[in-house]
């Protein structure tokens, strides 16, 4: 069954946790979809995990559209959310609506996600009024890494917690359909989840959120550059891949691969020396 904004909201009402993972390509999205994931986020984290940048700031609209379109082709049932990249919505409400529209029309996303609280409420309102569901993102918002001075837990003191609560209420009022809470103390995230009607999706925000999201390379042990504290490794696919790559290299070097089972046969009687004589003038 196709997950929609309505089915996801019903999950919150029924107390059923919402599952979300990031994906950036067709085959990974298809595997997740077949596993029964509720929602797939085409995160701008692809700047780091897929493109090798040190943060998300260099990701472009073209990057996001092409990866979102690939994921959408693989996701039959999952609800697909596309991140709006840095400076695709901060510059103006007009830019925000135009770029959200591109992610829906060209990327075939089901919703867009943008970072920030009260300051981006005009954008959330305008995009929603243009019939595009908006997922908000509060707490440690990676596009503001230079303002935070690093990837740090947010909402730790009373003033910061109050600002986060106020932002959560504001984005809901502006029309956001869901909110990601990143690197927020668990008790605060649980409180926010309790006062909002829209579902909260936590990443490093404890078990009190309505759902959870992880970057798939983190949960599969495929991203060796940096592993955040909250990223539980559910498998060591990175080690499996390295092992397979090493065996492949060994078999190519030894000549064990390709064997007969992995080669094409034709008429074994063909004498190619004789055949090639036909090319002589
Ligand atoms: O870009 C991303 O993958 C995200 C998640 C970390 C929530 O925004």
């Amino acid at each position: 069954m196709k997950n929609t904004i309505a089915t996801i909201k019903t999950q919150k009402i029924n107390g059923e946790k919402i599952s979300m993972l990031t994906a950036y390509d067709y085959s990974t999205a298809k595997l997740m979809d077949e596993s029964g994931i509720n929602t797939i986020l085409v995160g701008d984290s692809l700047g780091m995990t897929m493109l090798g940048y040190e943060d998300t700031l260099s990701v472009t609209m073209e990057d996001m559209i092409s990866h979102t379109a690939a994921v959408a082709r693989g996701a039959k049932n999952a609800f697909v959310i596309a991140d709006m990249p840095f400076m695709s919505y901060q510059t103006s409400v007009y830019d925000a609506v135009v770029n959200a529209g591109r992610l829906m029309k060209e990327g075939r996303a089901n919703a867009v996600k943008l970072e920030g609280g009260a300051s981006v409420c005009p954008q959330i309102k305008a995009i929603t009024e243009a019939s595009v569901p908006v997922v908000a993102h509060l707490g440690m918002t990676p596009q503001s890494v230079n303002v935070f001075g690093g990837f740090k837990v947010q909402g730790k003191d009373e003033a910061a917690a109050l600002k986060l609560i106020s932002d959560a209420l504001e984005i809901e009022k502006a029309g956001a359909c869901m909110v990601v809470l990143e690197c927020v103390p668990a008790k605060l995230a649980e409180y926010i989840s309790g006062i909002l009607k829209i579902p909260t999706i936590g990443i490093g925000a404890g078990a009190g959120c309505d759902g959870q999201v992880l970057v798939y390379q983190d949960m599969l042990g495929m991203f060796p550059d940096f592993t955040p504290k909250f990223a539980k490794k559910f498998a060591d696919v990175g080690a499996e891949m390295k092992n397979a790559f090493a065996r492949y290299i060994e078999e190519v070097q030894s000549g064990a691969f390709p064997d007969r089972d992995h080669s094409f046969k034709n008429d074994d009687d063909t004498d190619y020396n004789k055949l090639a004589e036909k090319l002589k003038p």
Side-chain angles (χ1 to χ4, degrees):
M1 190 188 74
K2 179 75 186 167
N3 290 271
T4 64
I5 200 60
T7 63
I8 292 162
K9 280 186 176 160
T10 304
Q11 282 185 261
K12 170 161 178 140
I13 293 165
N14 294 343
E16 293 163 18
K17 296 283 185 184
I18 301 152
S19 57
M20 182 188 289
L21 282 170
T22 67
Y24 317 101
D25 67 274
Y26 170 80
S27 49
T28 309
K30 199 164 157 74
L31 288 170
M32 286 175 188
D33 198 71
E34 287 169 1
S35 305
I37 198 84
N38 294 133
T39 70
I40 296 179
L41 170 64
V42 189
D44 60 356
S45 51
L46 69 82
M48 286 131 102
T49 58
M50 304 298 285
L51 304 176
Y53 297 131
E54 67 180 35
D55 53 39
T56 59
L57 304 190
S58 301
V59 175
T60 64
M61 274 300 295
E62 273 58 42
D63 292 330
M64 290 311 305
I65 288 169
S66 120
H67 286 275
T68 302
V71 167
R73 287 190 285 270
K76 292 257 172 305
N77 294 320
F79 185 78
V80 176
I81 301 163
D83 253 343
M84 298 197 69
F86 185 54
M87 287 301 148
S88 68
Y89 58 94
Q90 292 93 338
T91 44
S92 71
V93 169
Y94 176 82
D95 286 350
V97 175
V98 169
N99 286 320
R102 289 193 67 197
L103 288 165
M104 302 294 281
K105 283 177 78 120
E106 298 170 53
R108 302 297 304 174
N110 301 124
V112 299
K113 176 167 84 58
L114 52 75
E115 299 181 5
S119 64
V120 290
C121 279
Q123 281 88 334
I124 294 174
K125 189 167 184 294
I127 298 171
T128 306
E129 280 172 358
S131 303
V132 176
V134 181
V135 177
H137 186 158
L138 297 173
M140 214 305 290
T141 45
Q143 291 177 14
S144 304
V145 61
N146 291 306
V147 176
F148 295 144
F151 296 99
K152 295 177 181 160
V153 178
Q154 301 297 307
K156 276 168 92 173
D157 60 37
E158 279 193 1
L162 200 58
K163 169 78 175 124
L164 212 57
I165 294 167
S166 151
D167 277 342
L169 292 168
E170 289 291 317
I171 58 100
E172 180 171 73
K173 209 165 84 189
C177 64
M178 219 184 295
V179 58
V180 169
L181 299 175
E182 179 164 357
C183 291
V184 172
K187 201 171 153 199
L188 176 57
E190 186 173 4
Y191 173 76
I192 292 172
S193 304
I195 60 169
L196 294 188
K197 287 194 183 64
I198 58 172
T200 60
I201 309 292
I203 174 162
C209 295
D210 302 308
Q212 297 293 325
V213 57
L214 282 177
V215 169
Y216 92 86
Q217 286 93 340
D218 287 342
M219 58 90 73
L220 293 183
M222 289 172 64
F223 189 65
D225 294 5
F226 170 69
T227 308
K229 172 182 155 68
F230 54 76
K232 179 173 171 180
K233 215 195 256 186
F234 286 79
D236 200 350
V237 175
E240 276 294 304
M241 287 172 81
K242 278 187 177 172
N243 186 20
F245 297 149
R247 276 181 27 234
Y248 168 76
I249 293 164
E250 209 177 278
E251 290 197 17
V252 167
Q253 285 172 347
S254 72
F257 176 81
D259 54 15
R260 285 177 77 88
D261 288 348
H262 297 94
S263 302
F264 296 107
K265 281 191 256 187
N266 62 355
D267 181 357
D268 281 342
D269 294 339
T270 309
D271 178 340
Y272 289 104
N273 278 324
K274 213 163 151 201
L275 185 68
E277 274 172 21
K278 293 188 180 172
L279 295 173
K280 287 186 187 157

